[in-house]
Amino acid sequence: MTRFAFLFAGLFVCSAAQAAPQDLLQSYAVQAKQENPQFQAFSAARGEQLYHAKRTHSSGKMLSCASCHTDNPKSAGRHEKTGKAIQPLAPIANRDRFADTAKVEKWFKRNCQDVLERACSVQEKGDFVTYLLSLK
Amino acid sequence: MKRSLIVFTLLLSGAAWADGNANLAPAVSNLKWKTECSDCHMAYPPALLPERSWRKMMAGLGSHFGQDASLDTATAKEITDYLANNSAERAGGKRAKKVLGALGPNEAPQRISETAWFVREHDEVAPQVWKRAKIGSPANCNACHQGAEQGNYAENQIRIPR
């Protein structure tokens, strides 16, 4: 009985973690349509571009998402300032990614400001998540 | 008899020294502080800065040492209260006196490594040692203090990487 309960709980946790990024993308799609009636779909290719795009920050530093998350989102990263290890960003390598909406929003707010010095649009966030989910 | 008394006294003062300097774990912990403040760096001991420093820091998370570390209002308030309740003033003791002693009443340092107390504690560490790849800067307590995450800064827990 105990073993069955564990198995059941395990199944539930797995399916919840896998469904979450899709739910997040769906809610981004709803928001994107509200922001832009011409919205069609999210694009992994645009997300990939955004991930690698290098930009000169007002501090003079050349920054991109890859500065901390590395050129391969399946690899562990390193905080560009403190050196602290960062778990991989791609859900294939780290199933906790994009499973908690509040956490996702917290980091988009911070990191879009850190790299782009502005907020990201819903289109950008959706493209970005679509790209990371497309990695196998 | 006399010799054993001296040894005993030395042991006692050693213990007192260790107690006063080596344990920086806050008396109570806080889950939000521990998780939110350790995303990008180690969660630093609240007792190493005065309350006014923590309040200033928590009010400026939008640009935290040049980066956006903003939190939702409820989380920020909980962490601010926690830091205030465990700051140098509240922790008390000899170390608090040393941390606070050199500061003017309105000084609110933002870097622990710039307080006179920290500088004195680390005066034997040469500038080039801080720059070693495995250390990087004085902000990486756990590069040398093996027990830093647990608040243990005892001398016998120090391993300075090459």
Side-chain angles (χ1 to χ4, degrees):
Chain A
M1 176 59 206
T2 319
R3 190 180 297 171
F4 178 74
F6 272 119
L7 187 66
F8 182 72
L11 280 173
F12 181 74
V13 169
C14 289
S15 61
Q18 275 157 14
Q22 294 303 334
D23 291 348
L24 179 71
L25 274 180
Q26 253 170 21
S27 82
Y28 279 158
V30 172
Q31 288 176 55
K33 260 175 228 157
Q34 283 164 356
E35 274 185 13
N36 172 18
Q38 268 90 57
F39 170 79
Q40 303 247 303
F42 294 124
S43 144
R46 269 199 310 263
E48 184 172 9
Q49 261 176 8
L50 177 64
Y51 182 90
H52 292 286
K54 287 199 176 100
R55 170 179 182 278
T56 310
H57 187 270
S58 60
S59 68
K61 267 188 193 167
M62 200 66 144
L63 289 178
S64 68
C65 306
S67 304
C68 293
H69 296 289
T70 80
D71 278 329
N72 178 3
K74 289 189 273 187
S75 305
R78 193 165 280 280
H79 192 284
E80 58 92 25
K81 207 165 174 182
T82 67
K84 182 155 180 154
I86 301 172
Q87 296 305 305
L89 201 50
I92 188 79
N94 177 6
R95 62 160 67 190
D96 293 338
R97 290 296 185 189
F98 309 111
D100 175 347
T101 305
K103 197 172 170 184
V104 173
E105 288 301 313
K106 179 178 86 175
W107 286 103
F108 268 134
K109 179 179 187 292
R110 290 175 169 186
N111 292 166
C112 292
Q113 193 57 43
D114 287 336
V115 178
L116 305 171
E117 296 180 89
R118 62 168 174 80
C120 288
S121 66
V122 182
Q123 176 84 55
E124 285 172 321
K125 293 194 277 190
D127 291 343
F128 190 86
V129 176
T130 303
Y131 161 57
L132 291 166
L133 278 172
S134 75
L135 297 171
K136 298 291 170 221
Chain B
M1 175 61 203
K2 203 173 179 185
R3 187 182 297 170
S4 67
L5 190 67
I6 291 173
V7 171
F8 182 67
T9 314
L10 280 174
L11 277 173
L12 260 187
S13 62
W17 179 86
D19 192 44
N21 278 294
N23 181 17
L24 287 172
V28 285
S29 195
N30 174 284
L31 191 62
K32 290 236 164 75
W33 162 74
K34 192 82 193 160
T35 53
E36 295 293 348
C37 302
S38 67
D39 265 333
C40 302
H41 54 65
M42 203 192 93
Y44 299 117
L48 294 185
L49 287 177
E51 178 176 344
R52 56 186 182 273
S53 289
W54 292 123
R55 290 199 180 280
K56 184 178 172 185
M57 192 176 298
M58 292 302 292
L61 287 182
S63 181
H64 180 66
F65 300 95
Q67 296 196 319
D68 189 330
S70 50
L71 289 167
D72 66 82
T73 317
T75 307
K77 186 184 181 308
E78 182 177 329
I79 295 175
T80 306
D81 290 347
Y82 172 72
L83 290 167
N85 285 332
N86 292 276
S87 62
E89 297 93 323
R90 307 290 176 96
K94 272 191 199 161
R95 192 195 323 109
K97 264 191 202 144
K98 286 186 198 163
V99 170
L100 298 167
L103 297 172
N106 295 317
E107 262 186 285
Q110 296 294 285
R111 288 178 197 273
I112 293 166
S113 57
E114 285 173 0
T115 61
W117 168 81
F118 182 98
V119 173
R120 202 177 314 118
E121 288 286 331
H122 296 86
D123 58 2
E124 75 277 30
V125 182
Q128 64 269 25
V129 172
W130 296 112
K131 296 200 179 81
R132 286 179 189 163
K134 286 182 183 162
I135 302 175
S137 86
N140 278 328
C141 310
N142 42 349
C144 303
H145 295 276
Q146 311 293 304
E149 304 268 6
Q150 292 77 44
N152 182 354
Y153 288 77
E155 292 277 334
N156 65 9
Q157 295 289 308
I158 300 173
R159 305 270 181 285
I160 299 176
R162 290 270 133 213

